[in-house]
């Protein structure tokens, strides 16, 4: 096999990863196959397997690339850096407004893929473990959970908030509610759910604004 440059390898892998991303938007993640990748890229079977041993190795690189390029971590840090100057309710409102903007922008992108990876994890956990094990760092939601737990705990300890439930209960509620909102918005916007009279309400900004109000109440705000 003739030697090829590092740039050549990077470009080929990017072509394959980009094809996988495009296919994941057209189809569900679980139904994308190596043959789909071959057809989408126009590369030969050998041209694909030269770089990736199977579809899950491609998904792993795709998700790693998405994690690096589509991040809310800086936005979370910026909002929480104002915790000592802004009221707790305003911090909540800004966090959820930022999440709503992100979800709206990425609903047909990483949000759809994340949701379908969660479904795949329920049906084939060993597959998802293999996909995720080589991806460094933490994802957007894991990072947000970690930072908000620190925030809620610190604010409670210094007496700035007086939650009606424990910090753990509050975070578990937020996580569950966010997942439900994500699912509802994806189903109604990505899978062409027609005829539902509530579709106009199943939008990230509407749903997350209501969640912010609920979280503020649970934090002790009136």
């Amino acid at each position: 096999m003739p030697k090829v440059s590092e740039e050549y390898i990077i470009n080929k892998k990017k072509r394959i990863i980009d094809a996988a991303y495009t296919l994941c938007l057209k189809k569900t993640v679980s139904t994308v196959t190596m043959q789909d990748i071959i057809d989408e890229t126009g590369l030969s079977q050998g041209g694909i397997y030269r770089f990736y041993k199977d579809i899950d190795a491609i998904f792993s690189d795709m998700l790693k690339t998405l994690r690096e390029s589509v991040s809310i971590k800086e936005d979370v840090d910026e909002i929480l850096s104002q915790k000592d100057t802004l009221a707790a309710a305003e911090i909540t409102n800004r966090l959820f407004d930022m999440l709503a903007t992100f979800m709206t922008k990425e609903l047909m992108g990483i949000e759809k893929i994340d949701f379908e990876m969660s479904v795949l994890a329920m049906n084939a956990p060993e597959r998802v473990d293999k996909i995720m094990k080589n991806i460094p760092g933490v994802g957007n939601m894991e990072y947000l959970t970690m930072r908000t737990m620190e925030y809620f705990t610190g604010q409670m300890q210094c007496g700035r908030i007086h939650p009606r439930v424990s910090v753990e209960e509050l975070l578990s509620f937020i996580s569950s509610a966010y997942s439900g909102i994500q699912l509802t918005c994806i189903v109604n916007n990505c899978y062409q759910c027609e005829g539902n009279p509530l579709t106009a309400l199943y939008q990230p900004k509407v749903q997350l604004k209501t969640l912010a109000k609920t979280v503020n109440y649970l934090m002790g705000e009136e």
Side-chain angles (χ1 to χ4, degrees):
M1 181 185 296
K3 287 188 176 181
V4 295
S5 68
E6 185 69 22
E7 182 181 5
Y8 175 88
I9 295 173
I10 291 171
N11 288 337
K12 285 294 184 183
K13 284 190 169 185
K14 183 179 185 304
R15 184 174 172 183
I16 295 167
I17 291 169
D18 288 347
Y21 179 74
T22 298
L23 287 163
C24 285
L25 301 189
K26 292 178 181 178
K27 306 175 65 175
T28 58
V29 169
S30 62
T31 62
V32 176
T33 65
M34 286 295 273
Q35 187 59 53
D36 291 329
I37 301 290
I38 292 168
D39 294 341
E40 183 72 21
T41 59
L43 297 172
S44 66
Q45 182 172 333
I48 300 291
Y49 282 101
R50 182 180 184 182
F51 300 101
Y52 293 103
K53 64 180 180 178
D54 56 29
I55 190 68
D56 290 342
I58 296 174
F59 284 162
S60 185
D61 259 10
M62 178 189 75
L63 291 172
K64 178 181 177 182
T65 299
L66 286 173
R67 181 170 286 186
E68 291 170 351
S69 62
V70 186
S71 176
I72 63 170
K73 295 174 184 177
E74 288 186 5
D75 294 326
V76 171
D77 290 343
E78 170 61 26
I79 293 169
L80 292 180
S81 71
Q82 304 174 71
K83 66 182 185 299
D84 296 325
T85 56
L86 293 177
E90 181 60 22
I91 292 289
T92 300
N93 292 339
R94 293 191 183 196
L95 282 172
F96 280 104
D97 185 61
M98 177 271 295
L99 281 174
T101 299
F102 175 77
M103 187 185 286
T104 300
K105 180 182 176 183
E106 295 295 334
L107 201 59
M108 293 292 289
I110 194 171
E111 290 284 295
K112 174 183 180 291
I113 292 171
D114 277 350
F115 165 66
E116 291 175 354
M117 286 295 296
S118 298
V119 174
L120 184 61
M122 289 186 282
N123 295 299
E126 71 290 340
R127 219 190 130 185
V128 174
D129 285 344
K130 184 176 74 169
I131 291 170
M132 301 300 295
K133 71 177 182 179
N134 293 320
I135 301 177
V138 297
N140 283 323
M141 291 305 108
E142 293 93 337
Y143 186 78
L144 178 62
T145 299
M146 177 184 69
R147 289 300 321 277
T148 50
M149 185 164 198
E150 294 172 357
Y151 165 70
F152 286 140
T153 301
Q155 293 292 290
M156 186 173 64
Q157 289 174 346
C158 70
R160 295 195 71 195
I161 63 172
H162 302 86
R164 291 177 165 88
V165 296
S166 70
V167 170
E168 292 77 13
E169 288 173 315
L170 182 57
L171 282 171
S172 65
F173 168 76
I174 294 171
S175 177
S176 299
Y178 182 87
S179 296
I181 290 170
Q182 181 188 47
L183 169 60
T184 300
C185 291
I186 287 171
V187 167
N188 281 273
N189 290 277
C190 297
Y191 303 118
Q192 299 180 354
C193 183
E194 298 178 358
N196 189 332
L198 296 178
T199 296
L201 298 177
Y202 291 147
Q203 303 301 323
K205 286 191 177 294
V206 176
Q207 295 290 307
L208 289 172
K209 184 176 181 180
T210 301
L211 181 56
K213 292 178 181 179
T214 306
V215 170
N216 278 330
Y217 173 79
L218 292 175
M219 282 198 313
E221 300 293 319
E222 295 297 337

